[in-house]
Amino acid sequence: MSHFSTIKTQLKEAEPLIKALNHFGYSINQEDKFVKGYKGQFTAVDISMNLPGDTQVGFKWDNNSNAYELVTDLDLWKFEIPVERFISKVTQMYAYQTIVSKTQEDGYQIVEQKNKNDGSIELVLTKWEN
Amino acid sequence: MPQKTLRFKIHQDGRVEETVEGFIGNSCNEATKNLENALGKVTVMNKTSDAFLSNQSENLTQLNNESNVTF
């Protein structure tokens, strides 16, 4: 039997999220766990970082959605790409990092990886069963 | 020694399409459960059974609360 699924990616785990952020060269700020968020209020976050241009960004665990959510002050957003694009980029890389690490744990190997023209990443992994 | 294959297409908006091949019976679902939990929410799942050639599609996002019952 085989199956085909569509999954709406959510930022569920810290480790692949941090790997995704590091992949783009964003450094995690270990000292300061507060980010200026909605209406300029400082919000405690689980992961905080500074984007180039002093844009402050954090990720905070949200019990309602059961995932990490972005915290930032949109009035202070001075990064080179819009915030929606930033979230998409991080989410796509989070999915990639999660797939690679979870499948490796299960003994799969990457046999094909392509960056497609439509901006998607295609991955094929295989495992031989004894 | 059957070969198990996982195929992924990770879209720019973070949507992931996953195809799982080479599993026998329901072990197919077990194989990727942990991964799917770490990735997010499964919105559509199609099971294909080579034995029965039947397609069963469950859309997990749509709750069946649109019942038009008239008495």
Side-chain angles (χ1 to χ4, degrees), chain A residues 34-44 56 71-73:
Chain A
F34 285 90
V35 166
K36 225 177 178 184
Y38 181 65
K39 290 188 174 173
Q41 290 182 336
F42 278 94
T43 307
Q56 273 201 337
V71 177
T72 190
D73 185 344

Side-chain angles (χ1 to χ4, degrees), chain B residues 3-70:
Chain B
Q3 187 189 31
K4 297 178 173 179
T5 305
L6 309 177
R7 295 173 197 277
F8 297 95
K9 187 174 176 76
I10 311 167
H11 289 269
Q12 258 193 322
D13 61 1
R15 216 167 9 104
V16 176
E17 291 173 336
E18 168 198 67
T19 311
V20 179
E21 299 161 3
F23 286 84
I24 295 158
N26 280 332
S27 63
C28 183
N29 299 347
E30 292 301 316
T32 50
K33 204 181 247 177
N34 283 341
L35 171 62
E36 285 161 6
N37 286 342
L39 267 184
K41 218 178 258 170
V42 176
T43 54
V44 180
M45 186 193 253
N46 291 293
K47 292 177 190 169
T48 53
S49 163
D50 303 336
F52 298 100
L53 292 174
S54 66
N55 266 334
Q56 184 190 8
S57 150
E58 313 167 46
N59 195 331
L60 302 176
T61 54
Q62 289 184 343
L63 293 172
N64 240 345
N65 53 8
E66 298 174 324
S67 50
N68 298 320
V69 184
T70 48

